[in-house]
Amino acid sequence: MTGAAPPTVPEVVELIAAGRAELLDGRGLNASYRVTWGGRALSVKVHCAERSRAAEFRRIGRVDSALRGAPWYPPVLALGFHGAERPRLVVVRPYAPGTPSDDARRHIGGVVDVLADLVARAAGVRAEDALVGDYASPWLEGAPSERSLVDPLLTGEWRGLGRAVDAHLGELLDGAARLTSAEGLLVHHGDLHGRNLISDGTGRLTVIDWDEAGFSRRPADAGKALWLSCRLGRGDFALDPKATGLFLGRLHTRLGIPYSDAGDLALLGALWFLPRHGHVTLLGRRDASLGTWYLGWVLRFWTRFRGNLDLVAEIASELEAGGR
């Protein structure tokens, strides 16, 4: 690594426009690139126009201030808007070399360590309401509206998904509400899954893709990570009993989360798998196949949901009875 100063946002955009950046794979709404500057590999995230607002700029900056120095966090090197008619938010960070994981079960210890560090680094953090929110917020603040908006998409082969939403939405909201606190904030990554966990082969873990980063009033990262870290494999939503027990046990040890909260944690995390009209629509604009891929993906989650939820409750009960 050289001591060269990182590029500015206009310089990075110029590299991308000149074809001197590598477009990285991904199914998200934002575009990711790898560029080389001064002999150093950098990661560049260009947000879609719909997600390039002033609040996003402030949120990323505030999270960066809270997390700088964490060994698993790639700090912001440049942050700003580019373009006149529909400005895009551009974020430049160090590129994390290594291998993403298709099976996050082997990183459960590291994920819980990150969750614990996020809690510690949030101590004393204050943020205005515009910077506070997570995947559960739209449903807790306006479930009837969210359900009505997505209804036109849940026809034909997706009627089963609509029935699943209606069958489970009430209990999901109740579980999330029980874990919501008006006191204090948590730093929220928003998408802690295997492909966002980069291992360099020495045991060092880097967490990438801070697109959804912000602040939350509930353990939303832990709830989502329960589902994404403990499944049998990428694309498979059957929970692994051993991994689930390890995850809940480490959460209890590191964060003090009671085993009696495990069911609510699973309900909170499941809110992320409810389809939202805006998300599906934006995916379809990027690639016509992504919207239908996503609906099929979350439908697979809901076909296994009840059995998985029972498994979480059973394992939590066993751990509590065993005094672990």
Side-chain angles (χ1 to χ4, degrees):
M1 183 182 299
T2 71
T8 64
V9 165
E11 288 171 331
V12 163
V13 173
E14 184 177 342
L15 288 176
I16 294 172
R20 295 171 58 194
E22 177 188 356
L23 177 63
L24 303 177
D25 291 337
R27 291 191 175 115
L29 297 172
N30 304 324
S32 298
Y33 300 88
R34 179 169 54 194
V35 303
T36 300
W37 182 269
R40 183 182 185 184
L42 302 177
S43 171
V44 180
K45 185 64 63 79
V46 180
H47 288 233
C48 65
E50 293 82 358
R51 300 263 177 109
S52 294
R53 298 183 294 268
E56 302 297 326
F57 176 92
R58 296 198 307 276
R59 184 180 297 117
I60 291 172
R62 291 290 293 278
V63 168
D64 184 66
S65 296
L67 299 186
R68 276 184 174 266
W72 40 263
Y73 175 72
V76 172
L77 302 176
L79 172 68
F81 292 91
H82 182 79
E85 185 176 346
R86 302 188 75 188
R88 306 293 184 95
L89 181 61
V90 180
V91 188
V92 182
R93 302 176 186 268
Y95 181 80
T99 306
S101 176
D102 284 326
D103 187 349
R105 289 176 294 177
R106 61 191 182 95
H107 293 305
I108 285 175
V111 168
V112 176
D113 288 345
V114 168
L115 291 171
D117 209 0
L118 287 173
V119 171
R121 287 172 174 272
V125 168
R126 297 182 181 277
E128 59 266 39
D129 288 345
L131 308 188
V132 179
D134 53 54
Y135 58 80
S137 300
W139 293 100
L140 287 166
E141 295 165 4
S145 174
E146 290 293 334
R147 178 65 184 90
S148 177
L149 285 171
V150 79
D151 192 57
L153 301 177
L154 304 183
T155 60
E157 63 181 309
W158 308 120
R159 284 197 179 94
L161 181 53
R163 290 192 293 270
V165 172
D166 293 334
H168 301 297
L169 181 55
E171 64 179 326
L172 303 189
L173 295 175
D174 289 344
R178 286 190 289 268
L179 294 178
T180 300
S181 172
E183 302 297 325
L185 294 173
L186 299 175
V187 180
H188 179 62
H189 174 276
D191 203 16
L192 286 177
H193 63 76
R195 301 295 292 179
N196 286 340
L197 308 174
I198 307 298
S199 174
D200 67 359
T202 68
R204 182 175 183 271
L205 200 67
T206 301
V207 181
I208 64 170
D209 280 0
W210 291 85
D211 304 33
E212 307 297 327
F215 303 92
S216 175
R217 299 193 184 281
R218 58 192 70 89
D221 269 337
K224 185 175 175 181
L226 168 62
W227 293 105
L228 296 182
S229 295
C230 301
R231 54 186 174 168
L232 287 171
R234 185 170 170 82
D236 188 338
F237 288 110
L239 291 181
D240 179 344
K242 182 178 179 180
T244 303
L246 176 61
F247 184 83
L248 295 177
R250 288 189 68 91
L251 276 184
H252 180 74
T253 301
R254 291 298 315 276
L255 282 81
I257 294 179
Y259 292 123
S260 57
D261 283 352
D264 284 342
L265 196 67
L267 294 171
L268 167 61
L271 279 167
W272 185 73
F273 296 90
L274 293 179
R276 296 184 62 212
H277 179 271
H279 184 71
V280 178
T281 301
L282 289 177
L283 282 173
R285 288 179 189 171
R286 180 175 176 183
D287 184 324
S289 66
L290 283 180
T292 54
W293 166 83
Y294 170 77
L295 291 173
W297 187 71
V298 294
L299 179 58
R300 291 200 301 277
F301 172 87
W302 291 108
T303 59
R304 295 186 179 274
F305 174 70
R306 182 55 60 187
N308 282 327
L309 192 62
D310 291 343
L311 177 68
V312 169
E314 178 183 346
I315 291 173
S317 180
E318 291 174 354
L319 289 170
E320 188 168 37
R324 293 174 57 188

